[in-house]
Amino acid sequence: MLMVALSVARSFGLDPVTRAPCHLREILDHAIDDGSHWLAEVGDWVGVIPAHGDGESLRTRTYGARQAIGLTMDINHKASVDYARDGRLITSFDPLALDWRRFGDDPYALDHLMDGLRFTITDDDVRGDDRVEDPESITSALTLIGRFTGTDIAADWILARHSRMRPDCRA
């Protein structure tokens, strides 16, 4: 495992000694049972699920010239894409309402990577190809993260077996 992945694991309070192979489809049961997280290496990046990927959590993990990007979602249709660098929240936006919920030091910092992506939910009275549904917005957010990290976060990667780690009991 890369040193970066070990550092990320420790920042989430995970014990690298507990590392075991795991598919994404299995992590929810493990997370409920023992607090495990799924860690997947993506080039020089490490994906963590479940993670507290809100802006503040990412910001605190990026001191020392690090950067992090995250997507959070909940069952109430609240979603957020957050990008932090060197202890600062650069941009944060709701991919389900991109046109009016943007925050950070540079709310438009990722716009150059958004060509062809569709985020904003349009009015209910819009018909045809112009309507953007939640799944398309979330897929666009994952594509954006893939473009940013230089990695195709596609089915092959998502379906691959990566690692899971449990919380460090010594902490």
Side-chain angles (χ1 to χ4, degrees):
M1 181 175 248
L2 294 171
M3 293 303 293
V4 172
L6 290 173
S7 176
V8 169
R10 288 186 183 105
S11 80
F12 279 90
L14 303 174
D15 183 356
V17 173
T18 66
R19 181 177 176 218
C22 184
H23 287 96
L24 179 59
R25 68 180 177 272
E26 303 166 330
I27 197 58
L28 182 58
D29 289 335
H30 288 293
I32 290 170
D33 291 343
D34 63 15
S36 288
H37 286 61
W38 189 69
L39 279 81
E41 296 174 45
V42 184
D44 292 336
W45 292 84
V46 178
V48 180
I49 299 174
H52 303 287
D54 63 358
E56 181 61 19
S57 176
L58 290 181
R59 189 187 66 71
T60 61
R61 286 186 167 84
T62 62
Y63 287 109
R66 293 182 180 161
Q67 55 185 348
I69 190 166
L71 168 65
T72 58
M73 301 179 290
D74 68 19
I75 61 173
N76 297 315
H77 295 282
K78 181 181 176 197
S80 180
V81 172
D82 299 288
Y83 167 53
R85 182 179 61 232
D86 200 20
R88 295 175 34 234
L89 180 63
I90 304 303
T91 187
S92 177
F93 63 85
D94 181 342
L96 305 178
L98 182 64
D99 58 337
W100 61 277
R101 294 183 189 165
R102 290 182 180 231
F103 308 96
D105 291 350
D106 183 0
Y108 302 95
L110 300 177
D111 282 14
H112 69 285
L113 299 171
M114 293 184 185
D115 287 343
L117 301 180
R118 293 173 15 119
F119 294 98
T120 306
I121 300 288
T122 55
D123 293 333
D124 287 336
D125 62 346
V126 174
R127 306 258 190 275
D129 293 336
D130 291 329
R131 185 173 172 82
V132 179
E133 301 289 342
D134 287 3
E136 184 179 2
S137 295
I138 298 304
T139 298
S140 289
L142 291 171
T143 300
L144 172 65
I145 291 169
R147 288 176 181 177
F148 182 81
T149 62
T151 303
D152 183 11
I153 302 178
D156 290 343
W157 182 80
I158 293 269
L159 296 175
R161 189 166 66 169
H162 295 283
S163 299
R164 76 176 169 93
M165 290 184 202
R166 293 189 311 270
D168 189 342
C169 296
R170 300 166 291 174

